[in-house]
Amino acid sequence: MSSREFAVQAEMTAPRRSSGRLEFLTLPPEIRSNIYAELVAANRNRHPKNPNPSGSGGDIYEEYSFHLNIFRVSKKVYAEAYEVFRRENVFIVIESPWTRAEQQLVVDAQVPLVTRGTYAANFYPYHMVASIELPDMQYSKDLTSRFVICKDDLESFCQLWYYNEISTPNLNDHLRFTLALSNPSPVKDGYQTSDVGLPKSLQKELLAPFTRIKSLPQIKLSGDIDGDIEASFRRKLALPPDTPEICLERCTQLKDSGNAQFTTGEYRKAIKLYEQAFTAMHIPTHGRYRKVWGDLFYEKTLEGGMYDKQQGIRVRFMLRVKLVSNVMQAYLKLGKFLEVHFWGTRSVDTLRDSIGDIPENPPDGFPAPKEWGRICYRLGLAHEKLGNEPKAREYVRLAANWLPNDEGVQRKKAELAPKLL
């Protein structure tokens, strides 16, 4: 039920003074509880920080906007609202020796922080403290980064840690890690007590994301944790991570599934699958957001599977180029020419940063030359649709050099060629 629906329901059922003014505390408790939840529940107070009304798909960073002034209304309202605040939210405190950890979480994983710094140091109630330490290094605990996130973002936090792990080999070998679970509002037989642990279902939810992180020689669990749940957690933690071979094959399968959706005209579904394919090889992608992780992870000769004996970094590059080309084609079909322009320009700029100007013709041994030709061609079409004919001519001419046998590209090149008067 929305806030407006709550208000309508409250308006219809609430007693009034003779003046006609609605008395909040005379509303039924369940309605007051719903109103409090609208004000203090994290999942109802998470909003885009930089909303993009043009719908161009830029990076969307979010923030929380809890309406905590409700706690100042009266003692009774405070007691009721705070009970809802504790019931509706599950908070995790993160302690890290790296001060940049919180910024990386916000920027690279696009996770909003509940609070940070001195406010996080005094924050309550929380359900878990995840503490990362460097036992072999001396550093001031006063410089430890401390921030608070919600349970819904715990998966993103652990995923970011995993990405850092595969991008920085042996990172976890030097860490000591503690997960301390606690119940911020334990009740037993109707009384507050410190002897009641978290429900088993919540213990599982809090621990499960951390099984994504491997190679942690020192990991400690504390709190009243069920023995079977801890044993299951440690078994999953010991499982080996996916290999580059598995990741690249999963990426290929998702790409092919996207192609199948494309052929049936389901272009948006195809784009979603292409984004999942990028993510499968450690390039998380959604909308215009993209971050490349794990280059060192793929620097090996692949063993077995569909890419046996090929170089992992080369296979990954070819898949990236194919996926970019496919995404651009899907956006062309949808008439999203700004998106085609964005994806094509970003890829061309990335290539130029690597090798300089794009060669007029594909160099010998260049990976995925046809796909690069298609990227240039589709970028040229986007420029044409956006009214930039000189750029359209430049990229279509380049595409024609890379795709000399593509009749459609050659026709478009002739069509865009300057006409003599």
Side-chain angles (χ1 to χ4, degrees):
M1 187 179 291
S2 68
S3 301
R4 180 175 178 80
E5 289 170 324
F6 287 139
V8 171
Q9 184 177 352
E11 183 77 15
M12 294 173 62
T13 61
R16 299 173 181 272
R17 288 184 174 179
S18 58
S19 64
R21 187 172 64 183
L22 184 147
E23 290 292 325
F24 177 74
L25 289 175
T26 63
L27 292 172
E30 62 272 16
I31 293 180
R32 296 204 303 273
S33 179
N34 284 330
I35 293 173
Y36 294 139
E38 289 292 320
L39 298 174
V40 300
N43 60 358
R44 306 188 197 187
N45 290 280
R46 180 170 176 158
H47 310 288
K49 189 174 183 179
N50 56 336
N52 189 345
S54 68
S56 61
D59 295 351
I60 299 296
Y61 298 101
E62 296 180 309
E63 62 184 353
Y64 289 109
S65 56
F66 296 102
H67 301 279
L68 301 183
N69 284 339
I70 190 67
F71 294 148
R72 299 181 178 181
V73 172
S74 69
K75 289 183 178 180
K76 181 173 178 59
V77 169
Y78 170 83
E80 292 182 349
Y82 191 67
E83 179 60 30
V84 173
F85 181 73
R86 294 197 300 184
R87 185 185 70 227
E88 293 287 330
N89 301 312
V90 176
F91 296 117
I92 295 93
V93 176
I94 308 293
E95 296 178 339
S96 169
W98 297 288
T99 55
R100 63 182 178 86
E102 59 191 63
Q103 181 181 5
Q104 189 180 40
L105 188 63
V106 171
V107 175
D108 292 336
Q110 297 187 315
V111 167
L113 305 183
V114 175
T115 190
R116 56 183 292 274
T118 55
Y119 291 104
N122 299 311
F123 183 86
Y124 191 82
Y126 55 81
H127 296 74
M128 180 167 70
V129 176
S131 179
I132 308 165
E133 297 178 281
L134 288 164
D136 298 331
M137 295 182 61
Q138 291 186 348
Y139 61 95
S140 173
K141 290 297 183 73
D142 293 336
L143 298 178
T144 296
S145 175
R146 183 180 172 104
F147 51 93
V148 181
I149 64 174
C150 286
K151 177 173 71 70
D152 290 346
D153 293 311
L154 196 53
E155 184 70 39
S156 296
F157 170 77
C158 293
Q159 187 72 19
L160 179 65
W161 190 342
Y162 168 71
Y163 287 148
N164 276 288
E165 175 192 350
I166 65 168
S167 302
T168 311
N170 305 318
L171 169 68
N172 288 346
D173 293 345
H174 305 285
L175 303 180
R176 181 168 60 208
F177 187 48
T178 303
L179 292 176
L181 277 64
S182 63
N183 191 337
S185 54
V187 177
K188 183 177 182 181
D189 300 329
Y191 297 94
Q192 290 289 123
T193 175
S194 59
D195 299 328
V196 177
L198 291 172
K200 290 183 180 180
S201 59
L202 184 54
Q203 292 182 37
K204 291 179 182 178
E205 290 181 53
L206 290 172
L207 293 176
F210 290 95
T211 61
R212 182 77 165 137
I213 304 167
K214 308 297 181 180
S215 307
L216 277 169
Q218 302 181 65
I219 181 165
K220 177 183 177 182
L221 301 184
S222 68
D224 187 7
I225 301 174
D226 179 82
D228 290 339
I229 291 175
E230 178 173 355
S232 175
F233 168 75
R234 294 194 179 278
R235 283 195 301 271
K236 293 175 181 178
L237 195 64
L239 294 175
D242 289 339
T243 63
E245 291 83 353
I246 291 174
C247 295
L248 293 171
E249 291 195 19
R250 184 181 298 128
C251 170
T252 303
Q253 291 164 1
L254 287 164
K255 173 183 68 68
D256 293 344
S257 296
N259 293 347
Q261 292 291 338
F262 182 93
T263 59
T264 63
E266 296 285 353
Y267 306 123
R268 296 183 190 279
K269 290 182 180 178
I271 290 171
K272 288 296 182 185
L273 286 163
Y274 295 147
E275 290 179 348
Q276 292 173 29
F278 273 113
T279 303
M281 55 179 179
H282 307 112
I283 307 176
T285 303
H286 50 88
R288 291 186 174 185
Y289 173 82
R290 184 200 68 186
K291 176 75 175 180
V292 181
W293 297 93
D295 284 344
L296 292 175
F297 182 71
Y298 290 95
E299 287 190 354
K300 60 164 291 187
T301 301
L302 302 175
E303 300 175 9
M306 64 174 65
Y307 298 116
D308 185 38
K309 295 183 173 56
Q310 298 186 50
Q311 293 301 309
I313 199 73
R314 182 181 178 88
V315 171
R316 190 193 196 203
F317 178 82
M318 289 190 294
L319 286 170
R320 285 178 62 180
V321 173
K322 290 178 180 180
L323 285 167
V324 169
S325 177
N326 292 356
V327 168
M328 292 175 70
Q329 178 71 337
Y331 276 127
L332 277 173
K333 291 291 187 180
L334 291 169
K336 301 279 189 179
F337 306 119
L338 283 173
E339 295 306 303
V340 180
H341 176 271
F342 175 84
W343 278 76
T345 300
R346 180 171 62 185
S347 296
V348 167
D349 289 346
T350 300
L351 184 62
R352 282 175 174 156
D353 288 343
S354 176
I355 67 172
D357 288 338
I358 299 177
E360 287 292 317
N361 297 283
D364 292 339
F366 189 88
K370 290 183 178 179
E371 283 72 19
W372 266 109
R374 293 185 182 113
I375 287 174
C376 291
Y377 178 62
R378 289 160 187 168
L379 180 55
L381 295 181
H383 276 296
E384 182 187 22
K385 292 293 186 179
L386 295 171
N388 191 338
E389 189 169 314
K391 280 293 184 182
R393 188 180 301 119
E394 174 188 342
Y395 281 107
V396 170
R397 179 190 59 77
L398 193 59
N401 293 346
W402 283 62
L403 298 168
N405 299 320
D406 190 311
E407 294 180 2
V409 174
Q410 300 303 326
R411 282 196 301 270
K412 178 57 73 171
K413 175 186 175 183
E415 178 186 325
L416 291 174
K419 304 295 189 295
L420 295 177
L421 299 178

